[in-house]
């Protein structure tokens, strides 16, 4: 009995029920809630109509549809290695990595099929071209400058795809074994050359210092001799003055004094045990005492 009443109720209100269901479905299909990390590309009759930003959006149900859901998070391409030849004809293998994010999903969807492959191919071509303009030493030393150049060129190349390149990195620059051996030989030769130059500079400095020392010693000896000569000249002038004032007696006194000094030096010698004093020496003593007595 109850079932019959329910069936009668539904049959009599079927139209209203269908209308209510249609309204509910229409509302659900007209409201699109887009996550923060995505954007929706909306098509109407197969053509681009709009791009829905994160949040609640309204569309025309049954006419519009979310054809593509694009993540706007930053992405990293897998590390790729490509061979390149430098300006000085050295084969190197460069490992690169690129970070990017999609800023205009409508361009990315309708202008390029495989974004990752397209960017990887573009980076490989730019890296080869830039390395071909540089010598190996420049590739090793100017890596930051080369990274900046590659990033700018990649950005300009992928601009039509609605992509922003956030970072480009050169992870490593590898050389073949023959080139490494040649570079090691060159490095060892450079180290040996520097050692020889340092040793030669040390020897040169030592010779210069020895010459300076000899010159200083010669100057000091010459200075001592000059002082001794000045003293001798002064003594001679004093003796000459005494002779001029006192006559021959002053000269005899000086001669006798020198003889006495010589005898004293001979007696003070440690190897002398017996001293033979000549008669003239005794006379010299006597003359000296007489002169001293006369002076007194």
């Amino acid at each position: 009995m109850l079932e019959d009443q329910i069936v009668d109720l539904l049959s009599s209100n079927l139209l209203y029920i269908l209308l209510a269901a249609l309204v509910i479905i229409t509302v659900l299909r007209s409201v699109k809630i887009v996550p923060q990390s995505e954007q929706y590309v909306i098509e109407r009759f197969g053509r681009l109509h709009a791009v829905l930003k994160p949040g609640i959006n309204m569309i025309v149900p049954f006419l519009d549809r979310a054809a593509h859901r694009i993540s706007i998070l930053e992405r990293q391409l897998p590390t790729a290695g490509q061979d390149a030849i430098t300006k000085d004809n050295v084969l190197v293998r460069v490992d690169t990595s690129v970070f990017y994010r999609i800023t205009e999903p409508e361009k990315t969807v309708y202008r390029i099929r495989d974004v990752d492959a397209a960017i990887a191919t573009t980076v490989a071509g730019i890296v080869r071209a830039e390395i071909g303009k540089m010598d190996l030493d420049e590739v090793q030393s100017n890596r930051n400058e080369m990274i900046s150049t590659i990033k700018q060129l990649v950005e300009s190349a992928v601009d039509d795809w609605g992509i922003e390149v956030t970072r480009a990195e050169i992870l490593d620059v590898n050389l073949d074994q023959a080139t490494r051996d040649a570079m090691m030989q060159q490095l060892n030769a450079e180290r040996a050359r520097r050692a020889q130059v340092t040793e030669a500079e040390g020897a040169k400095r030592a010779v210069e210092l020895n010459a300076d020392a000899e010159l200083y010693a010669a100057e000091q000896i010459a200075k001592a001799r000059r002082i001794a000569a000045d003293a001798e000249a002064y003594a001679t002038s004093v003796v000459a003055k005494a002779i001029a004032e006192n006559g021959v007696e002053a000269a005899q006194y000086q001669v006798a004094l020198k003889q006495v000094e010589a005898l004293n030096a001979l007696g003070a010698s440690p190897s002398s045990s017996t001293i033979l004093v000549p008669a003239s020496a005794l006379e010299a003593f006597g003359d000296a005492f007489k002169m001293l007595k006369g002076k007194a």
Side-chain angles (χ1 to χ4, degrees):
M1 188 70 173
L2 181 60
E3 294 180 355
D4 295 338
Q5 293 178 355
I6 294 174
V7 171
D8 294 338
L9 180 63
L10 290 176
S11 60
S12 60
N13 298 307
L14 180 60
L15 179 62
Y16 298 105
I17 294 174
L18 292 177
L19 289 175
L22 180 61
V23 170
I24 294 173
I25 294 174
T26 301
V27 170
L28 292 177
R29 292 181 63 89
S30 63
V31 176
K32 290 293 182 181
I33 299 177
V34 181
Q36 181 65 39
S37 60
E38 294 181 351
Q39 291 185 9
Y40 290 177
V41 177
I42 303 300
E43 292 182 352
R44 178 176 292 177
F45 300 116
R47 298 185 61 182
L48 173 66
H49 175 67
V51 176
L52 302 185
K53 304 297 182 180
I56 298 178
N57 298 269
M58 301 297 294
I59 62 174
V60 177
F62 308 108
L63 298 181
D64 299 340
R65 69 184 186 92
H68 305 280
R69 298 183 178 185
I70 305 300
S71 172
I72 58 176
L73 295 177
E74 186 173 357
R75 309 179 187 183
Q76 177 185 3
L77 288 179
T79 301
Q82 51 266 347
D83 295 333
I85 299 177
T86 62
K87 186 177 179 180
D88 50 353
N89 295 324
V90 177
L91 179 63
V92 297
R93 183 170 182 80
V94 183
D95 294 334
T96 59
S97 181
V98 176
F99 296 80
Y100 74 95
R101 65 187 185 92
I102 297 175
T103 57
E104 299 177 88
E106 64 276 15
K107 292 183 179 180
T108 306
V109 169
Y110 297 109
R111 292 187 179 181
I112 190 71
R113 179 181 296 276
D114 191 341
V115 179
D116 290 352
I119 296 177
T121 303
T122 303
V123 170
I126 291 175
V127 168
R128 290 192 181 99
E130 290 301 313
I131 290 181
K133 301 176 183 178
M134 307 170 67
D135 293 333
L136 179 60
D137 294 339
E138 295 176 345
V139 173
Q140 298 286 1
S141 60
N142 298 332
R143 184 175 296 186
N144 290 334
E145 181 180 352
M146 186 169 62
I147 289 174
S148 177
T149 302
I150 292 173
K151 181 177 180 295
Q152 293 177 0
L153 294 176
V154 173
E155 285 180 346
S156 62
V158 302
D159 183 62
D160 291 339
W161 301 339
I163 295 171
E164 177 188 1
V165 177
T166 57
R167 187 169 57 180
E169 295 291 343
I170 295 180
L171 303 179
D172 199 4
V173 179
N174 299 313
L175 305 174
D176 56 57
Q177 190 60 39
T179 304
R180 290 183 180 179
D181 295 340
M183 292 182 64
M184 184 59 65
Q185 292 178 358
Q186 181 181 3
L187 180 60
N188 293 334
E190 180 65 18
R191 289 176 178 173
R193 184 190 67 81
R194 291 181 180 178
Q196 292 176 356
V197 170
T198 303
E199 184 178 357
E201 290 178 350
K204 178 183 176 182
R205 184 58 179 165
V207 171
E208 292 176 352
L209 292 176
N210 290 333
D212 292 341
E214 293 176 358
L215 178 60
Y216 178 76
E219 290 176 351
Q220 295 300 316
I221 292 173
K223 184 178 180 180
R225 289 179 178 177
R226 184 171 63 253
I227 294 174
D230 293 341
E232 187 68 24
Y234 176 75
T236 303
S237 65
V238 172
V239 172
K241 183 178 180 182
I243 293 174
E245 292 178 355
N246 301 314
V248 181
E249 292 181 355
Q252 292 177 348
Y253 171 74
Q254 290 293 330
V255 173
L257 186 60
K258 292 294 183 182
Q259 291 178 346
V260 172
E261 292 176 354
L263 290 175
N264 288 334
L266 182 61
S269 176
S271 62
S272 300
S273 58
T274 302
I275 301 175
L276 299 177
V277 180
S280 58
L282 297 176
E283 293 177 358
F285 280 112
D287 294 339
F289 284 119
K290 288 177 182 180
M291 292 177 185
L292 290 173
K293 185 178 180 182
K295 287 181 180 291

